[in-house]
């Protein structure tokens, strides 16, 4: 029985925002073709045929849409896609997810997302001053109020969503303000994504550093734990992932144990890549509009992504947390763990501070499960 997630980019790198730190703009500029435009319905149909052709009754499939800004493909595209998926499905359990900046989420969009039971990842970078500093539209205007209206619509329609925050060097200075914003907006599910430096490894003012990562999460965990003790639980994905790992020895987060996993990331032309951080020409594994899912998987497995050279993990040799970290995600190493030649690891400093409470909570979680 397979449990598979396929990440689809229906508009490639096209976006109606101009976020100052956008990692996918950096990735797309490193390819021969920066944008593959909007996925055609015929390409989508062939992709669905090749996906369901290799799935069996009882398998579980998540179809997740990302960008760029995926809603720019238009509501008609998504209606056609979901109807075609229904038509081709024969006993596969499948669900939908979409990551969006929210600018196009009007009442009609929200009604569709709720009807089709999409899990929505809505990007909001905390309080207005931080969000507007980086998440601007094509006219360089802040977008906070427009995105907050989209959140209100999701609340009103009962659409499932979580909030995605990009943890920049600036935002990481203010964990109390982030937590206060989570309380004021009653955010129950939040994922904080480290702001990455460029592929060229040039320093920039937005990139997170291991020191800032540590300072932020040490304080945020204290606030989260105090809330937990009062009986108000807010999901912070890093804490959820660590507790699941400590309680059950398994991780649902790619890279948390230091090992990359083959993913299936599909660009707008059908091209397939093994990781959202590496949608680059040298790692292209084929095309899902012309090849079966099985052929793509074999090509990825035989490709060079998983066997690419790894940085030496000098600080990991004597680390007491190595078995639950393994050096972490290679793409996030400079931002979360340590840069080449670094002398401190951000993740280790966080665990040094809070590991006893994490282990205690993991025990509670384990005992509460059948």
């Amino acid at each position: 029985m397979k449990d598979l997630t396929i990440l689809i980019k229906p508009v490639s790198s096209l976006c109606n925002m101009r976020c100052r730190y956008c990692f996918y703009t950096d990735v797309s500029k490193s390819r021969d073709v920066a944008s593959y435009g909007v996925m055609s319905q015929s390409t989508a149909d062939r992709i669905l045929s090749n996906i369901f052709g290799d799935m069996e009754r009882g398998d579980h499939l998540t179809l997740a849409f990302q960008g760029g800004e995926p809603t720019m493909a238009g509501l008609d595209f998504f209606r056609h896609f979901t109807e075609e998926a229904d038509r081709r499905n024969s006993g596969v359990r499948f669900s939908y997810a979409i990551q969006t900046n929210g600018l196009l989420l009007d009442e009609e969009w929200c009604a569709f997302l709720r009807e089709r039971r999409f899990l929505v990842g809505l990007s909001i970078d905390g309080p207005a001053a931080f969000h507007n500093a980086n998440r601007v539209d094509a006219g360089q205007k802040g977008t906070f109020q427009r995105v907050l209206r989209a959140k209100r619509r999701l609340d009103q329609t009962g659409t499932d969503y979580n909030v995605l925050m990009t943890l920049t060097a600036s935002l990481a200075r203010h964990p109390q303000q982030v937590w206060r914003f989570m309380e004021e907006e009653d955010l129950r599910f939040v994922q904080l994504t480290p702001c990455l430096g460029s592929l060229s490894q040039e320093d920039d003012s937005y990139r997170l550093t291991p020191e800032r990562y540590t300072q932020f999460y040490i304080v945020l965990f204290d606030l989260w734990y105090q809330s937990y003790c009062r009986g108000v639980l807010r999901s912070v994905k890093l804490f959820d992932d660590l507790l699941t790992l400590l309680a059950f020895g398994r991780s649902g987060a790619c890279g948390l144990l230091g090992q990359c996993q083959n993913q299936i990331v599909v660009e707008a032309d059908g091209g397939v890549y093994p990781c959202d951080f590496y949608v680059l020409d040298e790692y292209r594994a084929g095309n899902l509009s012309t090849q079966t899912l099985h052929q793509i998987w074999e090509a990825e497995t035989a490709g060079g992504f998983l066997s690419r050279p790894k940085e030496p993990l000098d600080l990991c040799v004597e680390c007491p947390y190595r078995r639950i970290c393994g050096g972490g995600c290679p793409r996030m190493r400079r931002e979360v763990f340590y840069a080449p030649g670094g002398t401190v690891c951000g993740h280790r400093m966080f665990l040094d501070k809070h590991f006893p409470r994490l282990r205690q909570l993991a025990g509670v979680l384990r005992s509460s499960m059948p």
Side-chain angles (χ1 to χ4, degrees), residues 97-102 119-123 154 160-164:
I98 187 169
Q99 182 174 335
T100 176
N101 61 36
L119 173 61
V120 179
L122 180 65
S123 293
L154 293 171
D160 290 335
Y161 72 94
N162 54 40
V163 165
L164 308 171

Side-chain angles (χ1 to χ4, degrees), residues 159-192:
T159 306
D160 290 335
Y161 72 94
N162 54 40
V163 165
L164 308 171
M165 293 187 194
T166 300
L167 188 59
T168 61
S170 174
L171 187 62
R173 290 179 179 271
H174 303 281
Q176 295 93 342
Q177 291 190 45
V178 170
W179 185 259
R180 188 158 56 247
F181 177 73
M182 290 171 61
E183 291 186 317
E184 290 171 351
E185 290 299 327
D186 195 24
L187 304 182
R188 295 289 174 156
F189 299 91
V190 174
Q191 176 177 345
L192 291 135

Side-chain angles (χ1 to χ4, degrees), residues 48-287:
L48 283 169
S49 177
N50 285 325
I51 290 173
F52 283 110
D54 277 342
M55 303 290 288
E56 299 173 346
R57 181 176 295 275
D59 288 347
H60 183 262
L61 172 68
T62 299
L63 295 166
F65 298 89
Q66 196 170 314
E69 173 47 42
T71 59
M72 290 179 67
L75 194 47
D76 286 344
F77 171 89
F78 281 88
R79 285 187 173 125
H80 174 85
F81 192 102
T82 54
E83 290 167 2
E84 192 66 16
D86 285 343
R87 190 179 72 81
R88 294 178 182 274
N89 183 31
S90 56
V92 176
R93 297 173 296 121
F94 67 98
S95 55
Y96 295 110
I98 187 169
Q99 182 174 335
T100 176
N101 61 36
L103 292 191
L104 298 179
L105 293 190
D106 57 15
E107 287 78 4
E108 190 177 13
W109 259 108
C110 290
F112 168 80
L113 295 171
R114 183 179 185 279
E115 176 190 356
R116 283 295 184 166
R117 298 182 180 179
F118 272 72
L119 173 61
V120 179
L122 180 65
S123 293
I124 311 177
D125 278 3
F130 299 101
H131 181 102
N132 285 336
N134 295 318
R135 298 190 65 83
V136 297
D137 62 17
Q140 299 299 301
K141 294 181 179 178
T143 58
F144 180 79
Q145 289 301 327
R146 283 175 280 175
V147 177
L148 207 60
R149 284 196 292 271
K151 176 195 173 294
R152 303 275 191 268
R153 294 188 187 105
L154 293 171
D155 286 329
Q156 291 163 4
T157 56
T159 306
D160 290 335
Y161 72 94
N162 54 40
V163 165
L164 308 171
M165 293 187 194
T166 300
L167 188 59
T168 61
S170 174
L171 187 62
R173 290 179 179 271
H174 303 281
Q176 295 93 342
Q177 291 190 45
V178 170
W179 185 259
R180 188 158 56 247
F181 177 73
M182 290 171 61
E183 291 186 317
E184 290 171 351
E185 290 299 327
D186 195 24
L187 304 182
R188 295 289 174 156
F189 299 91
V190 174
Q191 176 177 345
L192 291 135
T193 305
C195 184
L196 300 178
S198 66
L199 288 169
S200 62
Q201 300 191 8
E202 296 174 356
D203 288 335
D204 60 66
S205 59
Y206 308 107
R207 181 176 70 85
L208 190 65
T209 66
E211 292 81 6
R212 293 277 177 86
Y213 169 92
T214 302
Q215 295 160 9
F216 177 83
Y217 272 114
I218 282 178
V219 175
L220 192 75
F221 185 88
D222 278 329
L223 296 168
W224 175 87
Y225 186 76
Q226 292 166 22
S227 179
Y228 167 83
C229 291
R230 295 194 303 269
V232 181
L233 182 59
R234 300 187 188 278
S235 169
V236 175
K237 191 173 187 303
L238 175 65
F239 305 156
D240 292 350
D241 289 338
L242 286 171
L243 290 173
T244 300
L245 180 59
L246 292 172
F248 306 112
R250 64 175 185 265
S251 170
C254 181
L256 188 63
L257 292 173
Q259 297 294 323
C260 291
Q261 304 165 11
N262 271 351
Q263 301 178 36
I264 297 179
V265 182
V266 186
E267 256 286 4
D269 68 331
V272 176
Y273 305 82
C275 174
D276 193 32
F277 294 145
Y278 293 95
V279 185
L280 300 168
D281 294 336
E282 58 262 42
Y283 297 122
R284 188 174 171 110
N287 192 299

Side-chain angles (χ1 to χ4, degrees), residues 11-14 28 31 33-38 267:
V11 297
S12 191
S13 59
L14 299 177
S28 63
R31 304 187 308 222
V33 179
S35 174
Y36 291 97
V38 180
E267 256 286 4

